Amino acid sequence: MLNCIEIDKSCSFTESSVKDTSYISHNYYTYPARFIPQLASRLINAYTKNGDIVADNFMGSGTTILESIVNQRVAIGTDINELAFLVAKVKTTPIPSVKLFQEFLILENDLKNIFFEKREIYLQKSFSKYSLHEKINYWFKPEQKENLSILLSRILEIENLEIKNFFLVSFSQILKTCSIWLQKSIKPTRDLNKKNSDVLVTFLQNSKKMIQKNDSLNKILSSEVIKNIEKYRILACQDARNIPCENEKVNLIVTSPPYVTSYEYADLHQLPLYWLGYLTELSQYRKKFIGSSYKVREDVPLKSVLANEIVKNLGENKKSREVRNYFSDMLETFVEMHRILKPKAKCCIVIGDTEFNGVKISNAEGVY
Ligand SMILES: C[S@@+](CC[C@H](N)C(=O)[O-])C[C@H]1O[C@@H](n2cnc3c(N)ncnc32)[C@H](O)[C@@H]1O
């Protein structure tokens, strides 16, 4: 059992509005279970100083990474999800405002031209191997698929990588709205009566909002960080048990791992993952996510008395094997976090409990 300290209610940030938690580039992409940036910022400011190293090995959309560079700390982040990696990189890449706006005007002009005048010619070259994936037919009506396919092909023609990635995130962000995914559902559910959103209008509107946010990012980051962004931000699309960092270098970890019997991250991000070509087989892709119910691992012994008790209470079934896997995977990630932390450095892990068939699953306490 862990020693508990008194709950500090101010850490819930109940007073913060959506606007507060979406400032600068934080909500370029609607990422499930995204951190409240104010929490990351508070911990970073309380426990580190300028130039210190902060890590998040389950970085998701990169909230900790962004708050670290805003506060002039060096950030190290990993996530197993290619989309998370792309979003975290774009959110922490300030693009010179004028350059981005000029590129946007060129793109807007071209897209209007292509959509309304050169549509037929462009369509012939625009179906990439990804837009032909059968699941894209499942999630998108033919007209939406055609328009998205044209849009993606044009974005992929942008030569500057930072600008191309910026618009790929904007493209990813509009996919749910432009699909028949049941609005606001966290389970992949189709809504065959869903009204189509106009692909071009939605994309241009969303990109304009992101451009404004890029402006605020440029204003908030120090010139030192902007000039040396690659030194201040080390990101990798890899497993949380393989952080690109030497032993005992990190001053603080602020992270929020997946919970078991909760989100299936692969399922939730499948629309952009299919379109951007990161995903071909969902059943295989799910297995690399810790906490996924699709992850199969040989039965592993658990050290923790509480974890063994939870697994026993769940009975002999698939769910108990899933929870066993989870605790054992998570213990390995804790060992990795311990490896990179300086002696006596702090580590903040944001995690909640879940429940299955009336059995309480203490996600945090069960790991030890
Ligand atoms: C709760 S989310 C993190 C959200 C993040 N704090 C944010 O603000 O966006 C948990 C993350 O763990 C990632 N994840 C799951 N299994 C992983 C693994 N084996 N290695 C690294 N990341 C993994 C998921 O892709 C997801 O992004």
Side-chain angles (χ1 to χ4, degrees):
M1 280 287 206
L2 299 178
N3 289 328
C4 293
I5 55 170
E6 211 175 303
I7 291 175
D8 176 353
K9 291 213 172 107
S10 69
C11 285
S12 313
F13 293 94
T14 41
E15 306 290 298
S16 299
S17 64
V18 175
K19 196 168 165 229
D20 296 335
T21 57
S22 309
Y23 90 122
I24 47 172
S25 47
H26 276 298
N27 72 338
Y28 272 4
Y29 181 82
T30 313
Y31 203 86
R34 180 168 72 81
F35 257 159
I36 295 172
Q38 284 74 8
L39 175 65
S41 174
R42 179 157 155 186
L43 293 162
I44 290 164
N45 282 298
Y47 297 117
T48 62
K49 55 184 189 319
N50 278 16
D52 277 359
I53 304 182
V54 180
D56 182 354
N57 51 337
F58 294 101
M59 71 179 165
S61 64
T63 312
T64 300
I65 308 302
L66 181 52
E67 283 303 317
S68 301
I69 64 165
V70 164
N71 290 291
Q72 296 192 51
R73 275 52 164 180
V74 174
I76 300 182
T78 58
D79 201 286
I80 201 73
N81 176 0
E82 282 90 347
L83 183 75
F85 175 66
L86 174 72
V87 172
K89 201 154 72 170
V90 169
K91 269 169 65 167
T92 53
T93 302
I95 302 175
S97 298
V98 175
K99 187 170 154 194
L100 182 61
F101 192 61
Q102 281 169 348
E103 280 289 340
F104 172 74
L105 291 179
I106 297 172
L107 182 64
E108 180 181 41
N109 200 32
D110 261 20
L111 285 170
K112 285 183 177 161
N113 203 354
I114 294 166
F115 267 72
F116 302 115
E117 285 171 34
K118 295 195 203 145
R119 189 176 180 84
E120 289 310 317
I121 311 166
Y122 217 84
L123 257 180
Q124 287 168 14
K125 63 171 183 172
S126 68
F127 278 101
S128 70
K129 59 179 176 170
Y130 310 126
S131 53
L132 292 174
H133 196 289
E134 59 184 47
K135 284 289 180 187
I136 289 192
N137 290 330
Y138 180 81
W139 285 114
F140 296 87
K141 291 184 182 163
E143 191 197 336
Q144 303 294 80
K145 174 180 153 173
E146 211 174 275
N147 288 337
L148 286 163
S149 189
I150 296 175
L151 173 59
L152 177 59
S153 304
R154 177 58 187 84
I155 296 172
L156 291 174
E157 284 173 5
I158 299 172
E159 277 175 17
N160 180 300
L161 187 62
E162 287 177 355
I163 295 180
K164 184 189 333 199
N165 284 344
F166 179 89
F167 288 114
L168 284 177
V169 169
S170 180
F171 175 84
S172 303
Q173 170 68 1
I174 67 159
L175 286 176
K176 271 203 182 136
T177 315
C178 296
S179 72
I180 54 168
W181 186 290
L182 179 65
Q183 207 63 32
K184 300 217 165 102
S185 169
I186 53 157
K187 290 244 170 352
T189 311
R190 290 202 301 172
D191 173 3
L192 296 173
N193 298 319
K194 190 167 155 186
K195 203 170 157 276
N196 278 358
S197 298
D198 185 292
V199 167
L200 186 57
V201 172
T202 314
F203 173 76
L204 294 175
Q205 275 172 356
N206 187 61
S207 301
K208 277 187 200 155
K209 275 194 215 149
M210 285 176 61
I211 287 171
Q212 280 175 4
K213 288 176 167 290
N214 173 67
D215 268 355
S216 353
L217 183 63
N218 273 301
K219 286 186 188 129
I220 207 170
L221 290 178
S222 72
S223 54
E224 154 71 13
V225 172
I226 294 182
K227 258 190 266 146
N228 301 296
I229 189 70
E230 297 307 332
K231 275 200 219 150
Y232 275 87
R233 176 205 57 179
I234 298 143
L235 306 184
C237 184
Q238 55 198 45
D239 196 279
R241 287 158 285 194
N242 181 19
I243 309 171
C245 179
E246 290 167 26
N247 295 350
E248 300 188 2
K249 289 280 178 224
V250 168
N251 302 84
L252 173 71
I253 292 179
V254 181
T255 196
S256 171
Y259 309 171
V260 74
T261 69
S262 180
Y263 289 128
E264 284 290 346
Y265 283 97
D267 291 27
L268 288 179
H269 297 295
Q270 60 180 287
L271 303 184
L273 288 170
Y274 281 128
W275 276 101
L276 302 186
Y278 295 127
L279 168 59
T280 44
E281 239 300 291
L282 191 56
S283 52
Q284 283 307 315
Y285 194 83
R286 285 167 176 149
K287 291 182 185 162
K288 50 186 195 166
F289 289 79
I290 292 178
S292 165
S293 60
Y294 298 88
K295 200 167 191 302
V296 214
R297 199 173 157 167
E298 288 302 306
D299 265 0
V300 273
L302 294 176
K303 288 190 189 148
S304 153
V305 176
L306 178 61
N308 276 305
E309 204 179 300
I310 295 169
V311 169
K312 196 167 141 230
N313 289 341
L314 286 165
E316 259 310 304
N317 53 36
K318 192 174 165 294
K319 203 43 87 181
S320 69
R321 279 194 295 281
E322 179 189 325
V323 173
R324 179 183 284 281
N325 280 342
Y326 172 77
F327 282 131
S328 124
D329 285 343
M330 282 303 297
L331 185 56
E332 288 169 1
T333 71
F334 279 28
V335 171
E336 176 67 347
M337 289 188 234
H338 184 255
R339 176 187 74 76
I340 62 165
L341 279 172
K342 284 188 170 169
K344 301 215 167 106
K346 295 271 190 296
C347 176
C348 165
I349 299 175
V350 176
I351 192 160
D353 293 336
T354 45
E355 198 184 281
F356 187 77
N357 274 353
V359 178
K360 183 179 172 206
I361 305 172
S362 314
N363 284 298
E365 290 164 279
V367 175
Y368 290 109

